[in-house]
């Protein structure tokens, strides 16, 4: 179950349980392809645990405060109240929060891809040298340090350096993920034959060029995996932006939702419209690219 | 490798077609390394040391002082550590966090394994069902907790009253003994997909022949699960349990979204306690708490490595 399986387009869905019928399936010989309807029904019912809270969020976001009243909130609103979204847009200053989140996410993803792949390449190709082996162990050691342990001094330090803004969060997202990402990349770099690079070097390519033109493109499947993890981690992060970003106007989308948690705030329809707007970007991306996202995440899981 | 150095040696040093940089690089042999490799690693290592390692050391340093987060400070030795062991609020947060992490680990793994088995079986509309089950993975834990917060404190009580289930007629988030269960539930909702993916990877790694043999021997599906599937995916289970448990020890967001640590201090996690060092004026005290927390997670990591080595678990 490694890289080779994933690189075959035919077998794309295999790692996710959607086996193709080419005979490589494990149960294919057993009972043919009789669908287990009882289990299907059970899984459909179980999937309501996911769908109901989402339905609830949408239903609430479309209600007027009167419609919410003292009911369960589960009924579908009639008429639907679309004004909540506009109000939430203004209340949370959505465009700014969105741009701030997008800024943090885009640069965290790019930074994670660049830094981790470079480090992994250099380490994997110089494994016989003590310095690079040592670097690897050093980076991995960070996986044993939970974030709460360093957060208090870290916040003081970033504030001193003027990094108490979204830019600082990018730094920490990239560095915080580097251990895991490098680990993912190194295994992959090792599977790329050195001969590929050597012919390019004979043609006069520098190490940078070799990395940029040959290695990085070959890392594409792992780039997808690392990119997805970095995207989700960054976009949904609450802890670091909340603690690091000093200017409330530059806060990210998840943190902005705290606005509706005040003791005297009872405008739930507004709050849920805002929650929905915060959830929508990742949800839409996921639904549109779910095959791609899941196979990327899966690759990370197998490692 | 040898060809590279030979070419370099053969080429006359003054050859104008070869840029000097390329020539020097070509001389690279087993003993000489292209400095580019250092440029790839050293800046990142330096930043890493500065932003991750340095704060850790600074934290350990201040845990030995009486620094309040501002103003003067002096060394007070291990007093912070001694006091922590006598502090009921801290002990309570550790007890809560451990009970929470243990319970959540068990529930998450049962749920995730069940979903993985279901998705791996012959069901209709697999792609669609799978898509739905993995949705929680892409949502912000905090926002999800806010949604559940309303469900627990408004929807559930109204429903409970309507159907006459009196124990649930008041919000379970306001109940000291039940609030933690709500946190477990939302955590499971959020985290189960990640664990499911790992189990799916495990289930796919089981060779088909094993089941065919079991079929011939007349083993039922439950028997096959217990005697075949479970032992064969044990490595994945160990990974899930360990990763999960360590993650749950640092739980924070979902508690913020659901109870804020309340009612009273019933659901204060260790991480929340530590973060309170910002505003509470007990910076050095919470740093000592953080160091203790670190040692505990380190101990768990060591046990984990031992376990993995002994079992010979390999993925």
């Amino acid at each position: 179950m490694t890289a080779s399986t994933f690189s075959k387009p035919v077998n794309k869905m295999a790692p996710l349980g959607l086996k193709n019928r080419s005979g490589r399936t494990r149960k294919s010989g057993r009972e043919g392809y009789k669908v287990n309807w009882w289990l299907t029904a059970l899984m459909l019912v179980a999937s309501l645990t996911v769908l109901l809270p989402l339905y609830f969020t949408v239903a609430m976001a479309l209600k007027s405060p009167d419609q919410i009243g003292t009911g369960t909130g589960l009924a579908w609103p009639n008429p639907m109240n679309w004004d909540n979204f506009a109000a939430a847009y203004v209340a949370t200053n959505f465009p700014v929060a969105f741009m701030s989140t997008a800024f943090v996410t885009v640069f965290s993803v790019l930074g994670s891809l660049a830094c981790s792949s470079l480090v992994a390449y250099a380490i994997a190709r110089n494994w016989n040298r003590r310095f690079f082996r040592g670097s690897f162990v050093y980076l991995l050691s960070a996986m044993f340090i939970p974030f709460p342990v360093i957060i208090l001094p870290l916040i003081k330090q970033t504030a001193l350096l003027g990094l108490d803004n979204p830019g600082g969060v990018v730094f920490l997202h990239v560095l915080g993920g580097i251990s895991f990402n490098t680990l993912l990349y190194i295994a992959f770099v090792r599977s790329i034959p050195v001969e590929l690079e050597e012919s390019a070097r004979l043609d006069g390519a520098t190490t940078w060029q070799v990395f940029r033109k040959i290695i990085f493109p070959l890392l594409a499947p792992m780039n997808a995996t690392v990119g997805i993890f970095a995207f989700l981690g960054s976009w949904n992060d609450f802890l670091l932006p909340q603690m690091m970003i000093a200017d409330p106007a530059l806060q990210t989308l998840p943190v902005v939702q705290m606005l509706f948690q005040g003791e005297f705030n009872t405008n739930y329809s507004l709050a849920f419209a805002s929650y929905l707007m915060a959830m929508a970007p990742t949800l839409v991306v996921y639904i549109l690219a779910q095959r791609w996202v899941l196979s990327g995440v899966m690759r990370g899981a197998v490692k | 490798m040898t060809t590279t150095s030979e070419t370099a040696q053969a080429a006359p040093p003054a050859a104008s077609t070869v840029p000097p940089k390329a020539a020097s690089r070509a001389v690279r042999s087993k003993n000489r390394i292209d400095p580019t490799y250092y440029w790839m690693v050293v800046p990142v290592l330096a930043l890493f040391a500065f932003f991750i390692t340095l704060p850790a050391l600074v934290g350990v340093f201040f845990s030995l002082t009486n620094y309040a987060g501002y103003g003067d400070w002096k060394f007070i030795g291990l007093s912070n550590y001694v006091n922590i062991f006598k502090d009921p609020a801290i002990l309570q947060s550790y007890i809560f966090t451990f009970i929470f992490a243990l319970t959540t680990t068990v529930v998450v793994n049962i749920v995730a394994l069940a979903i993985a088995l279901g998705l791996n079986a012959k069901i209709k509309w697999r792609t669609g069902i799978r898509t739905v089950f993995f949705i929680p993975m892409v949502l912000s834990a905090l926002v999800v907790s806010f949604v559940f917060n309303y469900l627990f404190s408004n929807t559930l009580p109204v429903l409970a009253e309507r159907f006459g289930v009196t124990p649930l007629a008041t919000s379970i988030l306001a109940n000291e003994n039940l609030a933690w269960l709500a946190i477990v539930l939302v955590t499971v909702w959020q985290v189960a997909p990640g664990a499911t993916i790992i189990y799916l990877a495990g289930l796919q790694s089981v060779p088909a022949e094993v089941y065919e043999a079991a079929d011939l021997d007349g083993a039922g599906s439950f028997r096959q699960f217990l005697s075949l599937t479970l032992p064969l995916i044990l490595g994945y289970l160990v990974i899930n349990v360990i990763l999960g448990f360590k993650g749950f020890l640092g739980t924070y967001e979902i508690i913020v979204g659901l109870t804020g640590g309340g009612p009273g201090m019933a659901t204060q996690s260790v991480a929340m306690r530590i973060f309170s060092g910002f505003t509470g004026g007990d910076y050095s005290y919470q740093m000592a708490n953080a160091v203790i927390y670190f040692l505990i997670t380190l101990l768990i990591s060591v046990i984990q490595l031992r376990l993995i080595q002994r079992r010979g678990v390999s993925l």
Side-chain angles (χ1 to χ4, degrees):
Chain A
M1 215 42 166
T2 45
S4 60
T5 325
F6 294 97
S7 53
K8 284 180 201 145
V10 196
N11 214 16
K12 217 175 202 164
M13 298 319 292
L16 288 163
L18 200 140
K19 300 242 172 179
N20 53 43
R21 301 184 173 189
S22 60
R24 299 190 61 208
T25 52
R26 79 154 199 243
K27 288 178 186 170
S28 56
R30 288 215 283 164
E31 300 148 59
Y33 289 98
K34 219 171 72 187
V35 171
N36 188 336
W37 285 104
W38 286 111
L39 195 59
T40 306
L42 191 68
M43 291 298 278
L44 285 176
V45 172
S47 69
L48 288 180
T49 54
V50 175
L51 290 176
L52 262 179
L54 293 179
Y55 160 81
F56 173 74
T57 311
V58 178
M60 285 292 280
L62 292 171
K63 279 176 192 154
S64 67
D66 292 345
Q67 286 168 319
I68 291 177
T70 51
T72 56
L74 290 170
W76 188 255
N78 185 29
M80 286 181 269
N81 188 0
W82 294 94
D83 300 341
N84 294 328
F85 292 104
Y89 188 89
V90 176
T92 58
N93 202 354
F94 185 81
V96 176
F98 183 90
M99 285 314 288
S100 185
T101 317
F103 170 86
V104 170
T105 306
V106 167
F107 285 100
S108 296
V109 170
L110 292 180
S112 298
L113 289 178
C115 291
S116 317
S117 62
L118 274 176
V119 169
Y121 171 63
I123 288 177
R125 286 294 184 253
N126 295 287
W127 191 247
N128 54 339
R129 286 170 200 276
R130 192 177 287 164
F131 172 79
F132 290 94
R133 271 203 310 273
S135 310
F136 179 66
V137 173
Y138 176 52
L139 287 177
L140 277 199
S141 70
M143 286 171 91
F144 297 100
I145 305 180
F147 240 78
V149 173
I150 60 165
I151 195 105
L152 295 180
L154 179 70
I155 303 305
K156 278 198 175 290
Q157 192 177 321
T158 48
L160 273 176
L161 292 165
L163 281 172
D164 46 358
N165 51 39
V169 176
V170 170
F171 264 97
L172 265 299
H173 278 171
V174 172
L175 293 170
I178 212 155
S179 312
F180 182 65
N181 294 337
T182 304
L183 198 66
L184 287 179
Y185 271 124
I186 284 187
F188 206 86
V189 172
R190 286 207 179 119
S191 70
I192 300 174
V194 188
E195 289 74 27
L196 275 177
E197 297 171 37
E198 281 179 349
S199 58
R201 283 182 198 279
L202 280 179
D203 293 339
T206 62
T207 304
W208 286 115
Q209 285 168 335
V210 167
F211 176 78
R212 233 183 46 231
K213 304 250 168 72
I214 299 176
I215 301 296
F216 194 74
L218 283 174
L219 290 175
M222 229 3 118
N223 291 338
T225 303
V226 169
I228 292 162
F229 279 127
F231 177 86
L232 290 176
S234 244
W235 188 278
N236 290 330
D237 189 24
F238 166 67
L239 177 60
L240 277 176
Q242 184 218 12
M243 300 237 169
M244 280 182 71
I245 300 177
D247 183 354
L250 293 176
Q251 270 304 354
T252 58
L253 275 176
V255 184
V256 164
Q257 309 308 320
M258 293 289 279
L259 187 71
F260 303 104
Q261 292 307 111
E263 202 148 319
F264 305 104
N265 179 25
T266 46
N267 196 344
Y268 290 114
S269 51
L270 183 69
F272 274 85
S274 177
Y275 299 160
L276 192 58
M277 282 159 75
M279 287 178 174
T282 47
L283 197 57
V284 169
V285 170
Y286 168 68
I287 304 275
L288 290 180
Q290 64 105 357
R291 284 186 174 212
W292 191 74
V293 170
L294 286 181
S295 66
V297 171
M298 192 78 175
R299 219 166 7 240
V302 178
K303 281 286 164 303
Chain B
M1 228 17 131
T2 41
T3 28
T4 325
S5 45
E6 270 165 25
T7 334
Q9 275 151 15
S16 56
T17 46
V18 184
K21 230 178 141 192
S24 70
R25 187 175 7 86
V27 180
R28 199 168 61 93
S29 69
K30 280 256 186 294
N31 298 320
R32 294 195 44 192
I33 174 174
D34 186 342
T36 311
Y37 285 119
Y38 285 106
W39 282 110
M40 289 174 169
V41 176
V42 173
V44 176
L45 280 186
L47 283 173
F48 187 82
F50 187 73
F51 281 107
I52 308 285
T53 312
L54 182 63
L57 297 177
V58 169
V60 173
F61 176 83
F62 277 113
S63 74
L64 302 170
T65 70
N66 65 351
Y67 186 50
Y70 45 81
D72 294 333
W73 52 269
K74 62 178 197 307
F75 278 107
I76 54 166
L78 294 172
S79 308
N80 281 330
Y81 292 90
V82 174
N83 288 335
I84 279 177
F85 284 102
K86 292 190 258 175
D87 185 339
I90 299 254
L91 292 181
Q92 151 76 25
S93 71
Y94 273 96
I95 293 171
F96 162 74
T97 307
F98 268 90
I99 292 178
F100 163 81
L102 273 175
T103 316
T104 312
T105 307
V106 172
V107 181
V108 162
N109 280 284
I110 293 173
V111 170
L113 188 53
I115 298 175
L117 285 170
L119 289 177
N120 205 41
K122 285 184 284 292
I123 55 167
K124 191 87 175 153
W125 307 301
R126 193 193 325 246
T127 320
I129 293 177
R130 195 186 49 200
T131 307
V132 170
F133 271 113
F134 288 121
I135 285 177
M137 200 171 54
V138 304
L139 301 177
S140 149
L142 184 76
V143 178
V144 164
S145 314
F146 285 154
V147 171
F148 274 97
N149 189 334
Y150 189 94
L151 281 169
F152 286 134
S153 46
N154 297 65
T155 309
L156 208 57
V158 173
L159 282 178
E161 209 160 312
R162 206 172 285 173
F163 294 106
V165 194
T166 22
L168 289 174
T170 50
S171 167
I172 63 169
L173 295 180
N175 185 323
E176 245 176 74
N177 301 318
L178 295 179
W180 72 283
L181 286 174
I183 299 168
V184 170
L185 199 135
V186 178
T187 310
V188 171
W189 195 86
Q190 169 84 27
V191 174
T196 304
I197 284 190
I198 295 181
Y199 279 127
L200 269 178
L203 291 174
Q204 315 270 309
S205 73
V206 180
E209 295 75 32
V210 175
Y211 289 100
E212 280 157 22
D215 271 341
L216 288 178
D217 290 345
S221 38
F222 187 66
R223 187 64 209 274
Q224 284 189 18
F225 172 74
L226 272 189
S227 317
L228 287 176
T229 316
L230 209 52
L232 283 171
I233 61 163
L234 199 65
Y236 294 84
L237 187 125
V238 171
I239 295 285
N240 259 340
V241 166
I242 288 164
L243 285 183
F245 188 72
K246 265 164 60 180
F248 303 142
L249 284 182
T251 185
Y252 174 64
E253 275 182 71
I254 291 177
I255 302 183
V256 169
L258 286 177
T259 65
M265 291 193 302
T267 56
Q268 284 258 356
S269 72
V270 177
M272 285 183 100
R273 280 266 134 211
I274 294 174
F275 298 154
S276 76
F278 274 121
T279 46
D282 51 356
Y283 182 90
S284 61
Y285 185 62
Q286 291 305 339
M287 263 331 296
N289 188 10
V291 172
I292 292 174
Y293 172 69
F294 167 66
L295 292 176
I296 290 173
T297 50
L298 189 68
L299 185 73
I300 294 168
S301 302
V302 171
I303 296 172
Q304 134 196 7
L305 288 179
R306 279 282 158 78
L307 259 178
I308 291 179
Q309 276 164 1
R310 187 176 311 159
R311 295 226 65 112
V313 172
S314 63
L315 292 184

